[in-house]
Amino acid sequence: QVQLVQSGGGLAQAGGSLRLSCAVSGDTFNIDTMDWYRQAPGKQRELVAGITRLGITNYADSVKGRFTVSRDNAWDMVYLQMNSLKPEDTAVYYCAALSVWGVYGHWGQGTQVTVSS
């Protein structure tokens, strides 16, 4: 079993910064990628950023150059640093563990991020 516990987030002004953290525990051996998703009211959940076991990162076009995903070497913590925030970044953000079999088996509890203009 894998447990994901999120922290961080909250309220920021446009142009500001926030950092999200995802504490990963349990059987992490089969995690291939840790991803960050977000879901705004009335919209579908979308992939924001991800980082693989080898440290390869990917980002949605909407956040490239503003968000940075990182992790510690032991998969204990995964971070999403969000800079130059925009009101359209307002959403509930989730970390998710993608297994080596290509299945999202575990999700964090979600963290609200609100960006005011």
Side-chain angles (χ1 to χ4, degrees), residues 1-2 4 24-34 51-53 74-75 96-106:
Q1 282 288 355
V2 173
L4 306 179
V24 186
S25 62
D27 182 10
T28 62
F29 181 78
N30 292 319
I31 296 176
D32 178 78
T33 302
M34 286 297 299
I51 185 165
T52 72
R53 178 173 292 276
W75 267 141
L98 181 66
S99 72
V100 295
W101 302 287
V103 176
Y104 284 110
H106 305 281

Side-chain angles (χ1 to χ4, degrees), residues 35-40 43-49 60-63 67 88-94 107:
D35 286 329
W36 287 95
Y37 279 79
R38 68 185 180 187
Q39 187 166 20
K43 295 187 177 181
Q44 289 189 332
R45 191 172 295 189
E46 64 171 341
L47 178 62
V48 175
D61 288 343
S62 59
V63 306
F67 289 13
E88 50 263 43
D89 294 320
T90 296
V92 177
Y93 285 71
Y94 300 89
W107 292 80

